[in-house]
Amino acid sequence: MSWKLKQSGIHAWLTTKDQKGPLPLPRRSWLPNPNQTASGKQEDIAAANAGVEETLDRVQSTAKRRKRGHYHVYDSKTRLTIARLAEECGHTKACDRLEKLLGHTITKSTVQSIRNAYRKELRVVSNSRPEEMVELAEKGRGRPLLLGPALDEKVMTYLHTLRDSGCVVNRRVVLGCTLGLIGRIQPSLLQEHGGSLDLKSEYIWATCSPTSGNNL
């Protein structure tokens, strides 16, 4: 049995799932109670809870995390302003002017990315002229379902249950519940059990991203 399944949460679920009686309660009060869930979904909730708790326990036992920088999200009109400044005076000068305009530092890579999106938009709409454009919206990126429709739906159902109860859904919660559900339903998918599925940050970001379409 892998180290993930040996942890208390999933291991407890595996050893009690065939016994009659209530399913084990999560140790964290904000996780949903599987015994108060609609019939047919109780074991999914219990397995997802176990995965989330194991992931969070592992994080808490590790060394300090590196502090991440603050990320800014720009609306469509601000993106257009950034792109036009980059076209007008280049990346470096645009960054200096934008820092005064926006009140914070903006990287050259961000300016270049928005400028490239602006040029691409002008090429797509061949009859448009730069002065006629009033906004530059960020395009959502479609991604295939890494887990397949059935597993993905179970993950999303659990995450929406958390969000509806007021809980914060972050990458660790997504990873934990995904591991828990795969461990219950189809553990052979994971690389540690001989499968080809490797849950890397791409899936977690795709699930949590505002552009993912998951409405989390």
Side-chain angles (χ1 to χ4, degrees):
M1 184 178 292
S2 79
W3 67 271
K4 288 187 178 68
L5 298 183
K6 286 180 181 178
Q7 301 292 324
S8 60
I10 293 180
H11 184 52
W13 176 83
L14 286 173
T15 56
T16 59
K17 71 185 184 71
D18 294 326
Q19 302 175 9
K20 294 182 179 180
L23 291 166
L25 297 177
R27 287 177 286 109
R28 290 171 170 82
S29 61
W30 51 270
L31 289 173
N33 183 343
N35 301 302
Q36 296 177 351
T37 306
S39 177
K41 296 182 179 180
Q42 294 175 341
E43 290 190 347
D44 287 346
I45 295 295
N49 282 346
V52 170
E53 294 205 298
E54 288 178 18
T55 300
L56 297 180
D57 288 343
R58 188 165 63 251
V59 169
Q60 291 173 358
S61 66
T62 58
K64 286 184 178 181
R65 295 171 295 161
R66 184 178 62 182
K67 187 176 180 180
R68 300 181 63 91
H70 182 69
Y71 295 90
H72 297 278
V73 178
Y74 303 106
D75 60 34
S76 57
K77 294 186 182 300
T78 303
R79 285 170 55 82
L80 181 59
T81 299
I82 293 171
R84 284 175 171 167
L85 275 175
E87 288 284 72
E88 178 185 333
C89 58
H91 300 151
T92 301
K93 289 184 178 179
C95 287
D96 293 338
R97 293 176 62 178
L98 287 166
E99 182 174 353
K100 296 177 182 178
L101 179 66
L102 300 173
H104 60 77
T105 302
I106 182 170
T107 64
K108 290 183 181 179
S109 60
T110 298
V111 172
Q112 183 177 8
S113 174
I114 294 174
R115 194 274 324 263
N116 290 343
Y118 172 75
R119 290 180 174 178
K120 183 178 181 180
E121 187 70 15
L122 288 176
R123 288 197 300 269
V124 170
V125 187
S126 57
N127 295 326
S128 67
R129 293 183 294 178
E131 64 271 16
E132 294 177 344
M133 190 179 295
V134 296
E135 61 180 12
L136 179 63
E138 185 172 9
K139 303 295 183 181
R141 296 176 178 84
R143 296 172 184 259
L145 298 177
L146 181 64
L147 304 179
L151 264 172
D152 187 83
E153 182 180 359
K154 289 180 182 296
V155 169
M156 295 312 305
T157 297
Y158 177 80
L159 295 178
H160 281 295
T161 299
L162 290 182
R163 178 55 59 85
D164 290 344
S165 64
C167 300
V168 174
V169 175
N170 56 29
R171 286 181 296 159
R172 294 186 184 89
V173 171
V174 174
L175 177 60
C177 82
T178 302
L179 287 172
L181 286 167
I182 291 177
R184 183 185 94 78
I185 298 169
Q186 203 170 355
S188 60
L189 287 176
L190 296 172
Q191 287 185 341
E192 63 201 72
H193 297 295
S196 59
L197 183 60
D198 183 17
L199 288 176
K200 297 192 179 213
S201 60
E202 288 82 358
Y203 171 74
I204 310 305
W205 277 114
T207 304
C208 291
S209 170
T211 61
S212 66
N214 292 324
N215 298 319
L216 286 176

